[in-house]
């Protein structure tokens, strides 16, 4: 009948878990450090605007993932190479 059967389906192997959606867990799982009181002046999000060149910044705690150098935090993929 031409039906193609995937031999891996139904063999008792559970499917892989879905990707983590909790930002803190995603941060840790991809090599970052979760900071409950990160700087509002220096966003670690991929695609975030650069810091204000005037140096003016509000002192404010922002929970955020701090990735290793040359990486930025993508909310879907975690710490990834900065563009």
């Amino acid at each position: 009948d031409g039906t193609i059967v995937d031999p891996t389906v139904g063999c008792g192997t559970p499917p892989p878990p879905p990707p983590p959606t909790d930002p803190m867990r995603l941060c840790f799982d991809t090599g970052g450090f979760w900071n409950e009181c990160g700087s509002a002046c220096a966003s670690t999000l991929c695609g975030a605007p650069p810091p204000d060149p005037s140096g003016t910044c509000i002192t404010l705690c922002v929970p955020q993932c701090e990735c290793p150098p040359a990486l930025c935090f993508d909310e879907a993929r975690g710490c990834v190479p900065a563009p």
Side-chain angles (χ1 to χ4, degrees), residues 6-25:
D6 183 347
T8 62
V9 175
C11 294
T13 305
T21 54
D22 173 40
M24 183 185 299
R25 181 170 162 217

Side-chain angles (χ1 to χ4, degrees), residues 22-48:
D22 173 40
M24 183 185 299
R25 181 170 162 217
L26 184 58
C27 179
F28 285 127
D29 288 352
T30 56
F33 168 76
W34 187 259
N35 188 347
E36 283 295 328
C37 192
S39 172
C41 302
S43 176
T44 60
L45 288 176
C46 297

Side-chain angles (χ1 to χ4, degrees), residues 1 4 23 25 27 37 44 46 50 59 65 72-73 76 81:
D1 76 353
I4 298 174
R25 181 170 162 217
C27 179
C37 192
T44 60
C46 297
T59 303
C65 181
C72 61
F73 187 70

Side-chain angles (χ1 to χ4, degrees), residues 40-41 57-61:
C41 302
C57 183
I58 301 169
T59 303
L60 179 70
C61 284

